[in-house]
Amino acid sequence: MLAASWLSPFLLEMPLSLGELLKMVGLGAVALTLGVEWLDWLARRLWLRRGPQGPLKEVLFFPSPITCVEHLYSPARALPCSCPLPHGMDTSFTRLLVHLLSACVSLDLCVFSFSHMELSRAVLLLHSRGVAVRVLTDRDYMSISGSQIGTLRRAGIYVRHELSKVVHMHHKFALVDGRKLITGSLNWTATAVQSNKENVIVTEELELVRPFQDEFYRLWEDSDPANHTHQTPIATATKGLVTHS
Amino acid sequence: MLAASWLSPFLLEMPLSLGELLKMVGLGAVALTLGVEWLDWLARRLWLRRGPQGPLKEVLFFPSPITCVEHLYSPARALPCSCPLPHGMDTSFTRLLVHLLSACVSLDLCVFSFSHMELSRAVLLLHSRGVAVRVLTDRDYMSISGSQIGTLRRAGIYVRHELSKVVHMHHKFALVDGRKLITGSLNWTATAVQSNKENVIVTEELELVRPFQDEFYRLWEDSDPANHTHQTPIATATKGLVTHS
């Protein structure tokens, strides 16, 4: 009834001229278009408020409790793990492992000290899956007791180290598939993961990832023994070749 | 002429009834409102495309060349500094100092090792300006040779340290005015700044800043000697009181 009374001037009684009718239709069309745009804008604004705020940004703090991580290596296994450690817990360390194991194409590591057995296992697994792994580490810390660098090299992973005898390669970052950055204060050691107060940022924010990509490329080239023939490197960068000083 | 012909049905000939006129005015008002909203949305979208991409995100790599930084402490000085160091250079270290000196209200530091003289000078300057400075550091590294922790305490800055004898407080982050996070692999030492391969992220990204704020608060409370009466802290957290073991 209301609709009919609303339409009546236009459809029934027709007191308007054709030009006036066209103007009204035009106004209505403009209002409709703007209304749709406005609703779209409103929906986006509400989505932005409630939904995820852009690229991945995650902060992990350590120490992390020691828990079973077998399910991260073989999620489809039939029987649950029977080890005595707590199971199914979401810790900073399991989050770190999840991000690391998400690598499908490449993993570039730039770590001062690498002696953590479980992190070494994850890197070796990625390598066996065909992920292109490169490891850049410190000169002094690559051959200390418990270092996993030798194990990685023996498995055929490309390893280079800081060539200077007086400078430390003190970074602790990883680039997963060239798009996910894992960086912080955490060295890849059991003490750092289980005891120390440490932090790790995981992000896909392009403005943060890209500078680290460039820096890795620069450091990798700088650490190529072929570019430093005047020095006596303690180990070559040849794939899989292990030479200790 | 066009405007007049457009208005003529409403103002001059008045063939519309009052109800019809009200409907048209209503339609026009709706169109106008939606139009303003749409223009606002369009302006925001264009601004976002051309303007800065969200909150501050900056990455600094070290080592950084040694340059004069006097202009950062007294930008309005009449005469240029006469020291022999290079002047007017924008380095990773000057960027770090600029961000640090931007503190107006508070500075929360959580640093494993702090022996850099220039960074100590900056923190002391902020303290003298009335900025609320809190420093949380490692137990073992607070009294090593060259540590600036004693100097900061003597100046009246609140200092606490990790209370455990077996755990390292290995963070290297700062919170400027509770909204700008400075974090990375860089210890606050001359070797780290001038020699090592290091990184620092500076960001105002809320999703990154907030977890570090919470962590600082938690660690600060945990390091309150009053909460650990069973231990024998090597120094109390009393403002300005210096006690070394």
Side-chain angles (χ1 to χ4, degrees):
Chain A
M1 184 65 192
L2 187 66
S5 70
W6 216 93
L7 284 169
S8 59
F10 307 104
L11 301 179
L12 304 176
E13 297 168 25
M14 291 291 287
L16 295 172
S17 69
L18 188 62
E20 289 152 5
L21 183 62
L22 284 174
K23 284 166 195 165
M24 284 198 71
V25 169
L27 263 181
V30 168
L32 189 67
T33 309
L34 296 179
V36 168
E37 286 281 4
W38 178 76
L39 283 172
D40 175 54
W41 165 81
L42 198 68
R44 281 167 195 263
R45 200 155 74 163
L46 287 173
W47 164 253
L48 279 176
R49 263 195 203 156
R50 283 194 276 168
Q53 296 283 323
L56 169 72
K57 289 178 282 284
E58 189 173 346
V59 182
L60 308 173
F61 290 106
F62 295 80
S64 179
I66 304 171
T67 63
C68 178
V69 292
E70 288 306 314
H71 61 292
L72 303 178
Y73 294 101
S74 46
R77 64 187 288 164
L79 293 170
C81 178
S82 60
C83 81
L85 293 172
H87 289 77
M89 283 177 68
D90 199 25
T91 69
S92 292
F93 185 65
T94 61
R95 294 296 303 149
L96 177 62
L97 260 187
V98 163
H99 286 300
L100 195 60
L101 290 169
S102 71
C104 295
V105 180
S106 67
L107 178 70
D108 290 331
L109 295 185
C110 202
V111 282
F112 175 62
S113 180
F114 190 166
S115 60
H116 198 287
M117 296 288 285
E118 206 63 58
L119 290 170
S120 174
R121 179 186 173 196
V123 172
L124 289 168
L125 178 67
L126 293 174
H127 174 63
S128 72
R129 283 180 186 167
V131 173
V133 181
R134 296 187 290 184
V135 179
L136 188 55
T137 188
D138 188 59
R139 180 191 178 95
D140 296 343
Y141 279 74
M142 71 182 294
S143 55
I144 60 161
S145 173
S147 172
Q148 291 296 304
I149 298 298
T151 309
L152 302 181
R153 299 188 81 154
R154 279 190 291 276
I157 291 175
Y158 283 103
V159 175
R160 289 183 182 173
H161 61 81
E162 171 60 47
L163 294 175
S164 165
K165 290 177 182 173
V166 292
V167 165
H168 280 303
M169 202 304 295
H170 200 241
H171 291 293
K172 309 104 171 32
F173 72 84
L175 287 159
V176 176
D177 294 339
R179 61 175 177 75
K180 187 190 284 182
L181 170 68
I182 301 173
T183 188
S185 68
L186 186 97
N187 285 307
W188 287 29
T189 68
T191 304
V193 170
Q194 295 163 21
S195 301
N196 289 354
K197 312 288 173 70
E198 308 270 6
N199 66 77
V200 165
I201 287 174
V202 185
T203 183
E204 291 180 349
E205 192 77 58
L206 200 62
E207 287 168 86
L208 298 176
V209 176
R210 193 170 284 162
F212 278 88
Q213 278 181 321
D214 296 344
E215 186 69 358
F216 184 86
Y217 178 79
R218 198 182 66 77
L219 294 175
W220 185 256
E221 292 306 308
D222 278 359
S223 303
D224 185 349
N227 299 334
H228 296 262
T229 50
H230 61 286
Q231 294 204 39
T232 311
I234 59 169
T236 76
T238 311
K239 190 175 182 178
L241 179 62
V242 186
T243 53
H244 294 288
S245 62
Chain B
M1 185 63 194
L2 189 67
S5 70
W6 216 93
L7 286 168
S8 58
F10 308 102
L11 301 179
L12 304 176
E13 299 165 25
M14 293 291 286
L16 295 172
S17 67
L18 189 62
E20 289 152 3
L21 183 61
L22 285 174
K23 283 166 196 165
M24 283 200 71
V25 170
L27 263 180
V30 168
L32 188 69
T33 308
L34 295 179
V36 168
E37 287 282 4
W38 178 76
L39 283 172
D40 175 54
W41 165 80
L42 198 67
R44 279 167 196 264
R45 201 154 73 166
L46 287 172
W47 164 251
L48 280 175
R49 261 195 204 153
R50 282 195 277 168
Q53 295 288 318
L56 169 71
K57 288 178 282 285
E58 189 173 345
V59 182
L60 308 173
F61 290 106
F62 295 80
S64 180
I66 304 171
T67 64
C68 177
V69 293
E70 288 306 315
H71 61 291
L72 302 179
Y73 294 102
S74 46
R77 63 187 289 165
L79 293 170
C81 178
S82 59
C83 81
L85 293 172
H87 288 78
M89 283 177 68
D90 199 26
T91 69
S92 292
F93 184 65
T94 61
R95 294 296 303 151
L96 177 63
L97 259 187
V98 163
H99 285 300
L100 196 60
L101 290 169
S102 71
C104 296
V105 180
S106 68
L107 178 70
D108 290 332
L109 295 184
C110 201
V111 282
F112 174 62
S113 179
F114 189 166
S115 60
H116 197 287
M117 297 288 284
E118 206 63 58
L119 290 171
S120 174
R121 178 185 173 196
V123 172
L124 289 168
L125 178 65
L126 292 174
H127 174 65
S128 72
R129 284 179 186 167
V131 173
V133 181
R134 294 187 291 183
V135 180
L136 188 55
T137 188
D138 188 60
R139 179 191 180 96
D140 295 345
Y141 280 73
M142 70 182 294
S143 54
I144 61 162
S145 171
S147 172
Q148 291 297 304
I149 297 297
T151 309
L152 302 181
R153 299 188 81 153
R154 280 189 290 275
I157 291 175
Y158 284 103
V159 176
R160 288 183 184 173
H161 61 80
E162 171 60 48
L163 296 175
S164 165
K165 290 177 181 174
V166 292
V167 166
H168 280 302
M169 203 302 295
H170 200 241
H171 291 294
K172 309 103 170 36
F173 72 84
L175 287 159
V176 177
D177 293 339
R179 62 175 176 76
K180 186 189 283 182
L181 170 68
I182 301 173
T183 188
S185 68
L186 186 98
N187 284 308
W188 287 29
T189 68
T191 304
V193 170
Q194 294 162 20
S195 302
N196 289 353
K197 312 289 174 68
E198 306 269 8
N199 66 76
V200 165
I201 287 174
V202 186
T203 184
E204 290 180 351
E205 192 78 58
L206 201 61
E207 287 168 87
L208 297 176
V209 175
R210 194 172 285 162
F212 278 87
Q213 278 182 321
D214 295 344
E215 187 68 0
F216 184 86
Y217 179 79
R218 197 182 66 78
L219 293 176
W220 185 255
E221 292 306 308
D222 277 359
S223 303
D224 185 350
N227 299 335
H228 297 260
T229 49
H230 59 287
Q231 295 204 37
T232 312
I234 60 171
T236 75
T238 312
K239 188 176 182 178
L241 179 61
V242 187
T243 53
H244 294 288
S245 64

